[in-house]
């Protein structure tokens, strides 16, 4: 890849103006290290365009000179996808305008740098729901969320980000602006170009704005924290809760006892909602368009769960504070995991009907090969997506344990393949899983490379990521 010359550096600065770039090492520092602290990168210059035209100007200059670019949103990628390794870094953080709220159409058009939590609040102020919700929502930006096709805790009801996007505007790798912003729900005019950019991890262009779907706000949300003997019981209860509630389940998250114990130990102010100790816990959230009958529906589902022997203990959140406390237990797992030591992490998906069998087989194989490994498996079990992690036996053994990472991941991914699952349910490929993707999906990668070279013949867009 071509190096940035002084002449091109100056051309970029001139195109973006004084607010649009930085070479200040203290400003660059948080942009060149990933959220987990696993990848330390570098960039010759941070560009901060304030408009689509400025993004296009910067990309055109880089494209003509064959200079590589890494686009960046909130830099919360969990697979090193947004960490530049010498590329020009383009941050969308100054592009934060809401261009249009079309309440009659249940849609909003926003710029790529809008932080998810702000978008949720803007939708709520308009008495609508933007349902994408995940642990990084205070930092992740809509351009990054779309580029990783993010999931989160409400996929069960509203789908992945891909299903929430109606239209996109993007700057293609030659600097052309593609205006695909539309609020249409039906548009059969050939290839759906936005779907190529969604989940492309910044390898096919830079998303500058998006038209997003909005939904009616639920009148009432009910949340239960229940204890169970097994993952199989949790999956059976999910079916029961969906059926009895008329498909009102919006979130269904699972955590094992060890995850709860680590949260209670490492996260101040948390407490166990149940009096008895259980092997597994589920957070089950139901959302309703009408408030009346909501609590009764949840109680009916829990009652049936107890009667069938699926639920061993449970608590219902009596108010918003309690609901937040319950959610905090789930949302703090990653923090507690980090505070304790290190883990070999996997973000896998399996058909939900085979989840229990997968967890049992995968755990047995890993612990047979590495008897010290602590199974630490939690997540969006309702979507068939779990974070199938293996933790070091103690913080002091963390480094020694991580030497087994490749061996453990190999066993996990071989087991995933036996169950027709995916090695990346929602975090993406980034730098972390490129080799794994290439070896496990060679035909897919061949087709992806053909698409990439058609749109980005010089290979300048995020060249180290996804296809590598
Ligand atoms: C605590 C925590 C919890 C998380 N929970 C979940 C979860 O439940 N579900 C889930 O799916 N993910 C989760 N994630 C990871 C998730 O992928 C990111 O949070 C989010 O989708 C990335 O958004 P971002 O703005 O930070 O993008 P970045 O990290 O900045 O970038 C991610 C990728 O998108 C590209 N990119 C960024 N902006 C653009 C753009 N405008 N145009 C083109 N390409 C772009 C980057 O080059 C990179 O390849 C979590 C992360 C953290 C830290």
């Amino acid at each position: 890849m071509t190096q940035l010359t002084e002449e091109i550096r100056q051309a970029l600065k001139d195109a973006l103006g004084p607010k649009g770039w930085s070479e200040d090492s203290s400003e660059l520092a948080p942009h060149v290290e990933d959220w987990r602290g696993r990848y330390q990168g570098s960039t010759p210059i941070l560009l901060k365009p304030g408009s689509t035209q400025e993004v296009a100007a910067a990309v055109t200059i880089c494209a003509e000179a064959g200079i590589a670019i890494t686009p960046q949103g909130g830099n919360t990628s969990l697979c090193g996808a947004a960490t530049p390794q010498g590329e020009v870094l383009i941050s969308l953080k100054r592009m934060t305008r809401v261009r249009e709220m079309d309440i009659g159409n249940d849609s909003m058009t926003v710029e790529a740098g809008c932080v998810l939590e702000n978008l949720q609040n803007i939708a709520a102020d308009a008495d609508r729901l933007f349902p994408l919700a995940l642990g990084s929502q205070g930092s992740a930006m809509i351009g990054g969320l779309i580029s990783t096709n993010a999931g989160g805790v409400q996929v069960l009801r509203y789908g992945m980000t891909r299903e929430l996007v109606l239209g996109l505007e993007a700057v293609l790798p030659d600097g052309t602006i593609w205006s695909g912003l539309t609020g249409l729900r039906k548009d059969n005019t050939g290839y759906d170009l936005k779907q190529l950019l969604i989940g492309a991890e910044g390898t096919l262009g830079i998303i500058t704005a998006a038209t997003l779907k909005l939904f009616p706000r639920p009148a009432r949300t009910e949340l239960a924290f229940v204890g169970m003997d097994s993952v199989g019981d949790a999956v059976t209860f999910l079916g029961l809760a969906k059926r009895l509630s008329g498909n009102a389940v919006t979130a269904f998250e699972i955590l094992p006892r060890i995850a709860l114990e680590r949260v209670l130990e490492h996260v101040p102010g948390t407490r166990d909602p149940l009096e008895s100790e259980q092997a597994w816990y589920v957070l089950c959230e139901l959302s309703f368009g009408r408030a009346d009958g909501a609590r009764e529906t949840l109680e009916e589902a829990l009652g049936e769960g107890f009667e069938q022997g699926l639920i061993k203990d449970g608590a219902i959140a009596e108010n918003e504070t309690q609901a937040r406390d319950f959610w905090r237990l789930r949302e703090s797992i990653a923090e507690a995991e980090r505070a304790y030591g290190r883990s070999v992490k996997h973000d896998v998906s399996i058909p939900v009907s085979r989840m229990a069998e997968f967890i049992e087989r995968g755990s047995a194989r890993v612990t047979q090969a590495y008897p010290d490994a602590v199974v630490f498996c939690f997540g969006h079990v309702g979507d068939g997506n779990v974070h199938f992690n293996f933790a070091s036996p103690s913080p002091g053994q963390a480094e020694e344990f991580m030497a087994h990472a490749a061996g453990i991941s190999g066993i996990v991914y071989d087991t995933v393949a036996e169950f027709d699952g995916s090695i990346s349910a929602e975090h993406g490929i980034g730098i972390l899983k490129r080799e794994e993707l290439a070896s496990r999906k060679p035909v897919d990668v061949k087709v992806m490379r053909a698409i990439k070279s058609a749109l980005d013949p010089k290979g300048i867009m995020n060249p180290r990521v996804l296809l590598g």
Side-chain angles (χ1 to χ4, degrees):
M1 212 44 60
T2 315
Q3 294 294 312
L4 188 68
T5 61
E6 276 317 304
E7 195 188 344
I8 296 165
R9 189 188 288 271
Q10 194 55 51
L12 289 168
K13 290 179 182 176
D14 292 345
L16 270 59
K19 282 192 193 159
W21 58 272
S22 175
E23 293 167 326
D24 173 356
S25 57
S26 61
E27 187 176 348
L28 263 55
H31 290 272
V32 295
E33 186 179 12
D34 76 314
W35 186 82
R36 279 187 176 151
R38 188 172 177 155
Y39 299 101
Q40 184 61 51
S42 65
T43 184
I45 189 164
L46 167 66
L47 301 181
K48 301 177 286 178
S51 67
T52 303
Q53 286 66 28
E54 287 186 2
V55 175
V59 173
T60 303
I61 293 168
C62 290
E64 282 169 2
I67 287 170
I69 295 167
T70 293
Q72 192 178 80
N75 195 20
T76 64
S77 166
L78 296 178
C79 54
T83 309
Q85 302 289 339
E87 294 89 13
V88 164
L89 185 59
I90 301 193
S91 166
L92 280 294
K93 66 180 174 182
R94 282 181 61 222
M95 292 187 57
T96 56
R97 272 192 323 129
V98 174
R99 291 195 192 162
E100 189 189 16
M101 290 294 286
D102 186 347
I103 292 306
N105 191 50
D106 280 326
S107 64
M108 62 179 173
T109 298
V110 304
E111 290 186 341
C114 291
V115 169
L116 175 56
E117 204 163 74
N118 295 341
L119 293 180
Q120 293 166 344
N121 292 335
I122 288 164
D125 289 345
D127 197 25
R128 292 294 184 276
L129 173 76
F130 181 58
L132 188 58
L134 64 172
S136 57
Q137 63 195 29
S139 309
M141 298 175 188
I142 196 66
L145 292 152
I146 293 172
S147 299
T148 58
N149 184 27
V153 292
Q154 304 219 64
V155 171
L156 198 54
R157 172 82 161 270
Y158 299 99
M160 301 279 282
T161 301
R162 192 179 290 287
E163 286 152 83
L164 303 175
V165 176
L166 292 169
L168 283 184
E169 175 190 85
V171 173
L172 301 178
D174 66 353
T176 305
I177 298 174
W178 171 59
S179 301
L181 288 176
T182 169
L184 298 176
R185 278 160 172 84
K186 291 187 166 182
D187 180 13
N188 272 343
T189 49
Y191 300 161
D192 190 346
L193 300 181
K194 69 175 181 293
Q195 296 298 353
L196 276 181
L197 287 151
I198 299 173
E201 301 186 18
T203 60
L204 297 179
I206 302 186
I207 294 167
T208 48
T211 303
L212 305 169
K213 279 186 199 168
L214 298 174
F215 296 81
R217 283 215 302 161
R220 184 68 166 263
T221 296
E222 296 285 351
L223 182 66
F225 185 87
V226 297
M228 294 173 159
D229 282 344
S230 69
V231 178
D233 285 351
V235 171
T236 308
F237 177 64
L238 170 64
L240 184 154
K242 277 185 183 171
R243 181 170 51 79
L244 289 180
S245 69
N247 212 18
V249 183
T250 35
F252 198 86
E253 299 285 310
I254 199 163
L255 52 148
R257 176 73 199 169
I258 184 132
L260 181 64
E261 278 173 6
R262 298 259 160 101
V263 168
L264 298 176
E265 190 182 338
H266 293 284
V267 183
T270 52
R271 65 170 200 90
D272 187 344
L274 306 184
E275 281 175 10
S276 62
E277 279 188 20
Q278 301 295 328
W280 293 91
Y281 301 92
V282 160
L283 261 179
C284 175
E285 185 191 82
L286 308 185
S287 301
F288 301 89
R290 290 169 60 109
D292 51 310
R295 172 60 63 93
E296 291 76 6
T297 304
L298 176 65
E299 285 172 351
E300 189 194 351
L302 296 183
E304 187 67 33
F306 272 111
E307 204 154 294
Q308 292 190 18
L310 303 169
I311 298 178
K312 297 295 187 250
D313 196 358
I316 294 178
E318 290 301 336
N319 49 46
E320 274 190 29
T321 311
Q322 254 183 25
R324 265 199 302 275
D325 288 348
F326 285 9
W327 270 116
R328 196 149 165 249
L329 298 172
R330 163 65 183 90
E331 285 160 359
S332 311
I333 295 176
E335 182 187 333
E337 202 179 5
R338 232 176 355 167
Y340 181 79
R342 293 189 62 191
S343 317
V344 184
K345 300 189 177 197
H346 312 95
D347 163 45
V348 300
S349 60
I350 304 292
V352 72
S353 53
R354 304 191 68 197
M355 184 56 90
E357 192 190 348
F358 164 77
I359 292 174
E360 203 173 306
R361 199 184 297 174
S363 304
R365 281 183 182 164
V366 171
T367 50
Q368 194 178 7
Y370 302 96
D372 282 351
V374 177
V375 185
F376 203 89
C377 165
F378 63 95
H380 320 301
V381 74
D383 313 324
N385 169 203
V386 282
H387 303 305
F388 196 40
N389 300 348
F390 291 87
S392 55
S394 71
Q397 290 163 280
E399 295 313 316
E400 194 186 318
F401 178 73
M402 290 309 282
H404 303 310
I408 292 175
S409 296
I411 296 173
V412 169
Y413 293 143
D414 285 346
T415 312
V416 165
E418 283 171 27
F419 283 80
D420 296 325
S422 169
I423 62 165
S424 175
E426 52 176 24
H427 295 165
I429 299 298
I431 291 180
L432 186 64
K433 294 181 204 156
R434 333 173 263 211
E435 281 82 25
E436 207 62 53
L437 178 74
S439 71
R440 293 185 185 268
K441 295 183 98 177
V443 178
D444 298 60
V445 167
K446 192 172 149 195
V447 176
M448 286 190 225
R449 281 192 200 287
I451 294 169
K452 167 86 173 160
S453 59
L455 284 177
D456 183 15
K458 291 187 178 171
I460 63 163
M461 294 300 308
N462 226 3
R464 267 169 247 267
V465 164
L466 183 58
L467 301 173

